[in-house]
PDB file of all heavy atoms in Angstrom:
ATOM      1  N   ASN A  13       3.112   3.324   0.242  1.00 42.00           N
ATOM      2  CA  ASN A  13       4.305   3.860   0.777  1.00 42.00           C
ATOM      3  C   ASN A  13       5.047   4.628  -0.367  1.00 42.00           C
ATOM      4  O   ASN A  13       6.150   4.674  -0.487  1.00 42.00           O
ATOM      5  CB  ASN A  13       5.244   2.741   1.270  1.00 42.00           C
ATOM      6  CG  ASN A  13       4.454   1.874   2.157  1.00 42.00           C
ATOM      7  OD1 ASN A  13       3.907   2.394   3.107  1.00 42.00           O
ATOM      8  ND2 ASN A  13       4.559   0.558   1.900  1.00 42.00           N
ATOM      9  N   SER A  14       4.183   5.101  -1.239  1.00 41.00           N
ATOM     10  CA  SER A  14       4.746   5.583  -2.485  1.00 41.00           C
ATOM     11  C   SER A  14       4.648   7.120  -2.613  1.00 41.00           C
ATOM     12  O   SER A  14       3.966   7.700  -1.888  1.00 41.00           O
ATOM     13  CB  SER A  14       4.000   4.999  -3.709  1.00 41.00           C
ATOM     14  OG  SER A  14       2.737   4.668  -3.315  1.00 41.00           O
ATOM     15  N   PRO A  15       5.478   7.700  -3.406  1.00 42.00           N
ATOM     16  CA  PRO A  15       5.462   9.140  -3.663  1.00 42.00           C
ATOM     17  C   PRO A  15       4.026   9.754  -3.780  1.00 42.00           C
ATOM     18  O   PRO A  15       3.077   8.975  -3.621  1.00 42.00           O
ATOM     19  CB  PRO A  15       6.199   9.303  -4.943  1.00 42.00           C
ATOM     20  CG  PRO A  15       6.943   8.003  -5.179  1.00 42.00           C
ATOM     21  CD  PRO A  15       6.505   7.089  -4.178  1.00 42.00           C
ATOM     22  N   PRO A  16       3.866  11.018  -4.113  1.00 42.00           N
ATOM     23  CA  PRO A  16       2.547  11.732  -4.025  1.00 42.00           C
ATOM     24  C   PRO A  16       1.436  10.750  -4.191  1.00 42.00           C
ATOM     25  O   PRO A  16       0.865  10.295  -3.242  1.00 42.00           O
ATOM     26  CB  PRO A  16       2.750  12.707  -5.174  1.00 42.00           C
ATOM     27  CG  PRO A  16       4.244  13.136  -5.036  1.00 42.00           C
ATOM     28  CD  PRO A  16       4.880  12.020  -4.365  1.00 42.00           C
ATOM     29  N   PHE A  17       0.972  10.509  -5.431  1.00 50.00           N
ATOM     30  CA  PHE A  17      -0.185   9.565  -5.597  1.00 50.00           C
ATOM     31  C   PHE A  17      -0.365   9.425  -7.055  1.00 50.00           C
ATOM     32  O   PHE A  17      -1.223   9.809  -7.713  1.00 50.00           O
ATOM     33  CB  PHE A  17      -1.488  10.217  -5.008  1.00 50.00           C
ATOM     34  CG  PHE A  17      -2.427   9.147  -4.763  1.00 50.00           C
ATOM     35  CD1 PHE A  17      -2.109   7.939  -4.197  1.00 50.00           C
ATOM     36  CD2 PHE A  17      -3.829   9.375  -4.994  1.00 50.00           C
ATOM     37  CE1 PHE A  17      -3.038   6.966  -3.893  1.00 50.00           C
ATOM     38  CE2 PHE A  17      -4.743   8.401  -4.795  1.00 50.00           C
ATOM     39  CZ  PHE A  17      -4.333   7.197  -4.299  1.00 50.00           C
ATOM     40  N   ASP A  18       0.610   8.699  -7.600  1.00 53.00           N
ATOM     41  CA  ASP A  18       0.687   8.459  -9.065  1.00 53.00           C
ATOM     42  C   ASP A  18      -0.206   7.290  -9.533  1.00 53.00           C
ATOM     43  O   ASP A  18       0.327   6.271 -10.095  1.00 53.00           O
ATOM     44  CB  ASP A  18       2.087   8.399  -9.449  1.00 53.00           C
ATOM     45  CG  ASP A  18       2.895   7.249  -8.709  1.00 53.00           C
ATOM     46  OD1 ASP A  18       2.282   6.787  -7.754  1.00 53.00           O
ATOM     47  OD2 ASP A  18       3.980   6.999  -9.000  1.00 53.00           O
ATOM     48  N   ARG A  19      -1.465   7.251  -9.164  1.00 50.00           N
ATOM     49  CA  ARG A  19      -2.252   6.040  -9.403  1.00 50.00           C
ATOM     50  C   ARG A  19      -2.444   5.908 -10.896  1.00 50.00           C
ATOM     51  O   ARG A  19      -2.881   4.893 -11.344  1.00 50.00           O
ATOM     52  CB  ARG A  19      -3.651   6.213  -8.750  1.00 50.00           C
ATOM     53  CG  ARG A  19      -4.339   7.447  -9.196  1.00 50.00           C
ATOM     54  CD  ARG A  19      -5.733   7.496  -8.668  1.00 50.00           C
ATOM     55  NE  ARG A  19      -6.558   6.441  -9.379  1.00 50.00           N
ATOM     56  CZ  ARG A  19      -7.848   6.150  -9.108  1.00 50.00           C
ATOM     57  NH1 ARG A  19      -8.390   6.881  -8.109  1.00 50.00           N
ATOM     58  NH2 ARG A  19      -8.505   5.373  -9.819  1.00 50.00           N
ATOM     59  N   ALA A  20      -2.119   6.826 -11.743  1.00 46.00           N
ATOM     60  CA  ALA A  20      -2.348   6.807 -13.109  1.00 46.00           C
ATOM     61  C   ALA A  20      -1.171   6.112 -13.901  1.00 46.00           C
ATOM     62  O   ALA A  20      -1.201   6.139 -15.161  1.00 46.00           O
ATOM     63  CB  ALA A  20      -2.608   8.078 -13.735  1.00 46.00           C
ATOM     64  N   ARG A  21      -0.158   5.623 -13.130  1.00 60.00           N
ATOM     65  CA  ARG A  21       0.984   5.002 -13.789  1.00 60.00           C
ATOM     66  C   ARG A  21       0.575   3.964 -14.731  1.00 60.00           C
ATOM     67  O   ARG A  21       1.123   3.676 -15.787  1.00 60.00           O
ATOM     68  CB  ARG A  21       1.910   4.360 -12.799  1.00 60.00           C
ATOM     69  CG  ARG A  21       2.838   5.312 -12.215  1.00 60.00           C
ATOM     70  CD  ARG A  21       3.830   4.519 -11.238  1.00 60.00           C
ATOM     71  NE  ARG A  21       2.918   3.901 -10.193  1.00 60.00           N
ATOM     72  CZ  ARG A  21       3.469   3.158  -9.225  1.00 60.00           C
ATOM     73  NH1 ARG A  21       4.791   2.945  -9.157  1.00 60.00           N
ATOM     74  NH2 ARG A  21       2.732   2.579  -8.296  1.00 60.00           N
ATOM     75  N   PHE A  22      -0.538   3.191 -14.445  1.00 69.00           N
ATOM     76  CA  PHE A  22      -1.126   2.215 -15.315  1.00 69.00           C
ATOM     77  C   PHE A  22      -2.589   2.069 -15.087  1.00 69.00           C
ATOM     78  O   PHE A  22      -3.052   2.501 -14.010  1.00 69.00           O
ATOM     79  CB  PHE A  22      -0.379   0.846 -15.189  1.00 69.00           C
ATOM     80  CG  PHE A  22       0.088   0.569 -13.711  1.00 69.00           C
ATOM     81  CD1 PHE A  22      -0.911   0.322 -12.760  1.00 69.00           C
ATOM     82  CD2 PHE A  22       1.334   0.698 -13.375  1.00 69.00           C
ATOM     83  CE1 PHE A  22      -0.432   0.126 -11.475  1.00 69.00           C
ATOM     84  CE2 PHE A  22       1.821   0.536 -12.111  1.00 69.00           C
ATOM     85  CZ  PHE A  22       0.837   0.217 -11.050  1.00 69.00           C
ATOM     86  N   GLU A  23      -3.229   1.512 -16.026  1.00 75.00           N
ATOM     87  CA  GLU A  23      -4.641   1.371 -15.913  1.00 75.00           C
ATOM     88  C   GLU A  23      -5.032   0.437 -14.688  1.00 75.00           C
ATOM     89  O   GLU A  23      -4.494  -0.590 -14.558  1.00 75.00           O
ATOM     90  CB  GLU A  23      -5.173   0.763 -17.212  1.00 75.00           C
ATOM     91  CG  GLU A  23      -6.645   0.753 -17.376  1.00 75.00           C
ATOM     92  CD  GLU A  23      -7.301  -0.262 -18.387  1.00 75.00           C
ATOM     93  OE1 GLU A  23      -6.356  -1.080 -18.745  1.00 75.00           O
ATOM     94  OE2 GLU A  23      -8.456  -0.154 -18.649  1.00 75.00           O
ATOM     95  N   GLN A  24      -6.035   0.923 -14.020  1.00 82.00           N
ATOM     96  CA  GLN A  24      -6.451   0.044 -12.846  1.00 82.00           C
ATOM     97  C   GLN A  24      -7.553  -0.779 -13.188  1.00 82.00           C
ATOM     98  O   GLN A  24      -8.356  -0.357 -14.119  1.00 82.00           O
ATOM     99  CB  GLN A  24      -6.863   1.005 -11.694  1.00 82.00           C
ATOM    100  CG  GLN A  24      -5.678   1.727 -10.985  1.00 82.00           C
ATOM    101  CD  GLN A  24      -4.880   0.722 -10.130  1.00 82.00           C
ATOM    102  OE1 GLN A  24      -5.372   0.104  -9.279  1.00 82.00           O
ATOM    103  NE2 GLN A  24      -3.581   0.590 -10.445  1.00 82.00           N
ATOM    104  N   PRO A  25      -7.696  -2.023 -12.639  1.00 91.00           N
ATOM    105  CA  PRO A  25      -8.812  -2.899 -13.054  1.00 91.00           C
ATOM    106  C   PRO A  25     -10.141  -2.393 -12.528  1.00 91.00           C
ATOM    107  O   PRO A  25     -10.212  -1.613 -11.619  1.00 91.00           O
ATOM    108  CB  PRO A  25      -8.406  -4.139 -12.292  1.00 91.00           C
ATOM    109  CG  PRO A  25      -7.333  -3.866 -11.306  1.00 91.00           C
ATOM    110  CD  PRO A  25      -6.729  -2.555 -11.737  1.00 91.00           C
TER     111      PRO A  25
END
Side-chain angles (χ1 to χ4, degrees):
Chain A
N13 306 311
S14 29
F17 198 44
D18 50 354
R19 57 173 289 181
R21 273 183 305 180
F22 31 73
E23 192 199 9
Q24 289 286 305

